[in-house]
Amino acid sequence: DAGVIQSPRHEVTEMGQEVTLRCKPISGHDYLFWYRQTMMRGLELLIYFNNNVPIDDSGMPEDRFSAKMPNASFSTLKIQPSEPRDSAVYFCASSPQARAQYFGPGTRLTVL
Amino acid sequence: SQQGEEDPQALSIQEGENATMNCSYKTSINNLQWYRQNSGRGLVHLILIRSNEREKHSGRLRVTLDTSKKSSSLLITASRAADTASYFCATAPLTGTASKLTFGTGTRLQVTL
């Protein structure tokens, strides 16, 4: 298994632009998580899905952030419009029920 | 504040020595997990210990859990340079979904030759 796949690995964009981050979870995993990691705030859970259904989006910072999971093998996290304070590493992780989470390599986002 | 707080924030040891890092948390848990993160990489799951377990081993790793003190420790024995990384504890809540982990602030471990 290739593990959790994220794309792009790096994204540099200008303030106000739309950013879309993509994730392919490990096949057979029921849960998918989106995290954001910064030096100041550490690792924060943004949203998670169970069987493609959003369960808890209380960590999504504001309406500029949205996430979808149209099927079991794909999820997106969109930021529109992006702001410099959104600069961070965004991780996707998947999990087979309440067990260990498997993280992707992350997307390093820089908003200028 | 973070559910899990690791201590120390940073630790520097020589190869061959043991490394111990601690995690304290605030609310009742279903399980506690430890993860490693190498610089610029995603987190890697190391070990999971359930609330009814007190100690667990995996290779050179030993994890203890004291639910009365709401604390856990991770011991890495005979450390190697390749163990250099940040280590995070993560707690799964007792109520609600046990899949929703809360991560601590991490311990940065440096193992020198």
Side-chain angles (χ1 to χ4, degrees):
Chain A
D1 198 321
V4 175
I5 299 172
Q6 290 187 248
S7 64
R9 293 293 310 277
H10 302 272
E11 177 80 31
V12 180
T13 190
E14 293 190 344
M15 184 173 63
Q17 296 298 307
E18 177 180 294
V19 175
T20 299
L21 310 181
R22 297 173 176 78
C23 174
K24 176 179 169 57
I26 294 173
S27 177
H29 284 190
D30 300 299
Y31 287 85
L32 183 139
F33 306 83
W34 282 101
Y35 292 91
R36 177 172 69 176
Q37 187 177 39
T38 62
M39 288 294 292
M40 290 295 294
R41 301 176 66 90
L43 193 65
E44 303 173 278
L45 176 65
L46 301 178
I47 184 172
Y48 76 94
F49 297 82
N50 178 213
N51 292 322
N52 312 339
V53 176
I55 303 300
D56 185 341
D57 65 354
S58 59
M60 296 286 260
E62 47 199 274
D63 292 345
R64 297 184 297 106
F65 286 68
S66 62
K68 293 181 180 179
M69 192 166 185
N71 56 63
S73 59
F74 184 66
S75 177
T76 60
L77 177 68
K78 186 174 293 186
I79 308 172
Q80 165 63 18
S82 58
E83 296 181 4
R85 60 190 167 124
D86 301 331
S87 297
V89 181
Y90 291 81
F91 289 103
C92 175
S94 67
S95 171
Q97 297 286 328
R99 296 175 190 168
Q101 294 186 12
Y102 295 78
F103 282 73
T107 294
R108 182 173 295 277
L109 174 64
T110 302
V111 183
L112 304 174
Chain B
S1 62
Q2 295 271 355
Q3 161 76 323
E5 298 285 344
E6 282 91 340
D7 167 53
Q9 289 189 337
L11 180 61
S12 183
I13 60 174
Q14 290 193 321
E15 200 170 47
E17 294 181 336
N18 295 341
T20 299
M21 49 206 89
N22 305 296
C23 169
S24 60
Y25 57 91
K26 294 181 172 62
T27 59
S28 296
I29 61 171
N30 175 288
N31 66 72
L32 185 145
Q33 303 177 30
W34 285 91
Y35 289 79
R36 182 187 75 230
Q37 184 179 31
N38 291 89
S39 181
R41 310 288 289 272
L43 281 73
V44 174
H45 179 261
L46 296 176
I47 197 164
L48 181 154
I49 185 165
R50 303 191 189 285
S51 59
N52 61 352
E53 297 176 310
R54 291 296 168 258
E55 188 170 312
K56 205 160 183 180
H57 297 255
S58 176
R60 294 184 296 112
L61 305 181
R62 182 174 79 102
V63 168
T64 61
L65 178 64
D66 187 334
T67 53
S68 66
K69 295 181 179 178
K70 290 186 168 57
S71 68
S72 173
S73 67
L74 171 67
L75 168 68
I76 304 174
T77 60
S79 63
R80 306 166 182 169
D83 295 328
T84 294
S86 290
Y87 292 81
F88 296 86
C89 68
T91 52
L94 183 61
T95 56
T97 174
S99 294
K100 184 178 179 180
L101 299 180
T102 301
F103 284 82
T105 51
T107 292
R108 292 189 310 278
L109 174 65
Q110 175 76 43
V111 181
T112 57
L113 296 172

